[in-house]
Amino acid sequence: MDLGQYRLNKTKELADLAEKLGDRFDPFFCAVYKLLDELKEGESFDVEANVHPENRELFIKCACFYIWDKNRTRETFSAWVEFTNDYRYLRKMNSCYPTIFHKKRTPSQSNTT
């Protein structure tokens, strides 16, 4: 099942859901942030298996906001969360450090003669 129909296209969509849900919104939003913050690098979260169908739209929109917010504020090359193309899974991608940041080897450290 493709859950991409629930992705967040405009932050107003999330604001409208918050207004509609009232007191139920904040705890749900915070729970999504906590869940995604606690995912370990390399771990995945199956939305279909773990989120009740009636909560999927809200969950996916909150997760989209989380991704936008964390990507805006995260440190370069730190781990990040992303959806699969069909929005069924979230996964925390591993940190990456480009080779330009690795310690450069001097000629005396190389294995060549």
Side-chain angles (χ1 to χ4, degrees):
M1 171 186 277
D2 187 341
L3 300 175
Q5 66 193 7
Y6 300 131
R7 75 180 187 165
L8 184 65
N9 296 301
K10 298 176 184 172
T11 55
K12 183 174 178 350
E13 296 169 356
L14 197 58
D16 290 345
L17 280 171
E19 186 176 323
K20 178 182 170 186
L21 295 172
D23 292 342
R24 182 175 164 240
F25 179 80
D26 283 347
F28 192 94
F29 183 82
C30 291
V32 171
Y33 257 66
K34 184 175 192 278
L35 171 82
L36 297 178
D37 274 343
E38 292 177 354
L39 270 182
K40 305 282 186 251
E41 287 186 28
E43 259 186 341
S44 293
F45 179 81
D46 184 336
V47 176
E48 244 182 348
N50 293 295
V51 179
H52 194 276
E54 72 183 30
N55 292 327
R56 286 182 187 154
E57 179 180 12
L58 178 58
F59 179 88
I60 289 171
K61 287 189 185 312
C62 289
C64 285
F65 188 84
Y66 172 94
I67 291 168
W68 172 81
D69 183 40
K70 293 297 181 171
N71 282 340
R72 183 177 59 86
T73 60
R74 77 180 173 93
E75 301 230 356
T76 306
F77 310 122
S78 62
W80 69 93
V81 174
E82 68 179 18
F83 274 105
T84 54
N85 290 339
D86 60 7
Y87 285 73
R88 289 182 55 216
Y89 295 91
L90 283 152
R91 56 188 171 215
K92 185 166 266 184
M93 304 305 291
N94 294 330
S95 304
C96 63
Y97 297 93
T99 55
I100 62 169
F101 292 107
H102 292 207
K103 185 178 176 185
K104 292 189 177 188
R105 296 175 69 160
T106 63
S108 63
Q109 294 173 314
S110 72
N111 292 332
T112 60
T113 56

